[in-house]
Amino acid sequence: QVHVVESGGGLVQAGGSLRLSCAASGSIFSIDVMGWFRQAPGKQRVLVAAMSITTGGSINYADSVKGRFTISRDNAKNTVYLQMNSLKPEDTAVYYCNAHSSQYGLDYWGQGTQVSVSS
């Protein structure tokens, strides 16, 4: 079992920045990809950014966040970060961390953290 915990959400004005953290624990040996998704009210959960935590490569961003958000990792801490700059009101959503095992086809989710951007 893998346990995923997010932190770092909050309320910020448009143009501001936030950094989200996601710590994974438990049976993480099979986890090879970690990423961030978000879900706005009344909308589906969508990918924001994801990366290979084994190589640090294979980084993907949603078009809407390219150039503003950066995903990174600290393998020593089993933690993935999402640095969010130049935030916009449309970035308002609950942000979820995902840990994926390609070997077993399993996904683990955190409880979500609210990000609210005021105009």
Side-chain angles (χ1 to χ4, degrees):
Q1 186 69 14
V2 175
H3 191 50
V4 178
V5 179
E6 307 101 335
S7 61
L11 174 64
V12 66
Q13 287 188 330
S17 299
L18 284 174
R19 190 176 82 153
L20 305 182
S21 299
C22 171
S25 61
S27 302
I28 61 173
F29 61 91
S30 68
I31 299 299
D32 57 334
V33 179
M34 291 186 69
W36 291 93
F37 289 71
R38 68 186 182 187
Q39 187 168 17
K43 296 188 177 180
Q44 290 187 329
R45 190 175 299 188
V46 296
L47 175 69
V48 176
M51 70 184 301
S52 165
I53 61 170
T54 54
T55 67
S58 300
I59 296 176
N60 292 306
Y61 293 101
D63 288 343
S64 59
V65 306
K66 285 180 180 177
R68 300 188 298 121
F69 291 12
T70 303
I71 189 171
S72 62
R73 80 196 200 282
D74 183 337
N75 282 358
K77 297 181 179 180
N78 297 321
T79 298
V80 170
Y81 305 96
L82 185 68
Q83 178 66 43
M84 305 185 293
N85 299 328
S86 302
L87 282 161
K88 304 176 180 180
E90 50 263 44
D91 294 318
T92 294
V94 178
Y95 283 70
Y96 295 91
C97 181
N98 170 270
H100 177 74
S101 168
S102 298
Q103 179 180 6
Y104 297 111
L106 295 174
D107 287 284
Y108 302 92
W109 296 92
Q111 80 286 354
T113 185
Q114 177 70 47
V115 171
S116 298
V117 184
S118 62
S119 58

